[in-house]
Amino acid sequence: MGSHNRSLRTVVMPEADTGRDDLAAALYQEYGRPLLAFVITLTAGDRLWAEDVVQETLIRAWRNADKLNREPEMLRAWLYTVARRIVIDGWRSRKARPQEVEEADADTVGVPDESDRTLAAMVVYEALRNLSPEQREAVLQTYIRDRTVNEVAQTLGIPPGTVKSRIYHAVRALRRALRDRG
């Protein structure tokens, strides 16, 4: 286990941007299963939602690669905290408005692997670039910087309802863009 942690530490703090892909793969390999098990309990057994939360957590780690602590226990704590916050936000969101339901096309359902996750992160990044600057800023402030709607509203000097509206419309636009990209 000790040698595995050393290699993970090397990947966690990459020298170049290309190390981010290695980071995503290493994090998924090292923490994917235990994180998924933890999140499944938080989502009341909703495995699909839990998988989405794990993916979002690893994307946030990928985006914050240069800020992550090198120690495996600190990294684990960071991942679990981020995942827990994503689930809490999800529960709050579900209480705030009805859940959207889309039928999954059985022919398009695939089995993701690590390369799919990395590719998905790149597709999300491209989709984010197509949002309006206001929507992109609201998404970055809430999802990437892990701030509450009220904190974002105060930072941007706009009402919380405007932040919620921007996030809502941005997420819908991202969904459409991601669906269009497959």
Side-chain angles (χ1 to χ4, degrees):
M1 179 90 178
S3 66
H4 184 67
N5 286 340
R6 266 185 259 120
S7 68
L8 183 62
R9 281 190 204 125
T10 304
V11 173
V12 169
M13 298 304 290
E15 294 298 322
D17 214 25
T18 58
R20 286 180 179 230
D21 294 340
D22 293 338
L23 169 68
L27 289 177
Y28 184 73
Q29 184 177 0
E30 179 73 17
Y31 298 102
R33 284 181 190 236
L35 186 59
L36 179 62
F38 171 72
V39 174
I40 285 174
T41 63
L42 297 177
T43 60
D46 186 336
R47 185 175 180 89
L48 294 177
W49 182 21
E51 289 172 353
D52 288 345
V53 169
V54 169
Q55 182 175 357
E56 176 65 25
T57 302
L58 295 175
I59 288 171
R60 289 184 189 186
W62 178 77
R63 287 198 177 118
N64 291 289
D66 56 330
K67 300 174 191 171
L68 295 176
N69 190 308
R70 298 172 188 230
E71 296 300 318
E73 287 304 313
M74 295 300 292
L75 181 57
R76 180 183 181 280
W78 187 90
L79 290 168
Y80 279 60
T81 299
V82 169
R84 184 178 52 80
R85 288 180 180 169
I86 292 169
V87 171
I88 290 170
D89 288 346
W91 283 117
R92 288 178 181 157
S93 175
R94 287 177 180 204
K95 288 180 183 177
R97 63 179 161 271
Q99 182 178 1
E100 294 180 29
V101 179
E102 288 186 35
E103 283 189 35
D105 183 1
D107 295 332
T108 62
V109 176
V111 179
D113 62 11
E114 285 122 31
S115 62
D116 285 345
R117 292 185 187 278
T118 302
L119 182 59
M122 291 186 292
V123 169
V124 168
Y125 177 76
E126 283 299 314
L128 279 169
R129 290 179 48 190
N130 293 325
L131 295 177
S132 72
E134 294 83 10
Q135 290 174 333
R136 186 172 39 253
E137 184 62 26
V139 169
L140 291 174
Q141 291 284 332
T142 53
Y143 289 101
I144 307 303
R145 295 195 177 112
D146 207 24
R147 294 184 175 153
T148 66
V149 168
N150 288 336
E151 290 171 337
V152 174
Q154 186 175 21
T155 301
L156 299 178
I158 58 176
T162 302
V163 174
K164 288 179 185 178
S165 177
R166 287 179 182 175
I167 292 169
Y168 174 77
H169 291 291
V171 168
R172 289 183 64 135
L174 286 171
R175 267 195 202 124
R176 278 191 306 275
L178 295 174
R179 186 174 30 238
D180 291 346
R181 288 178 173 96

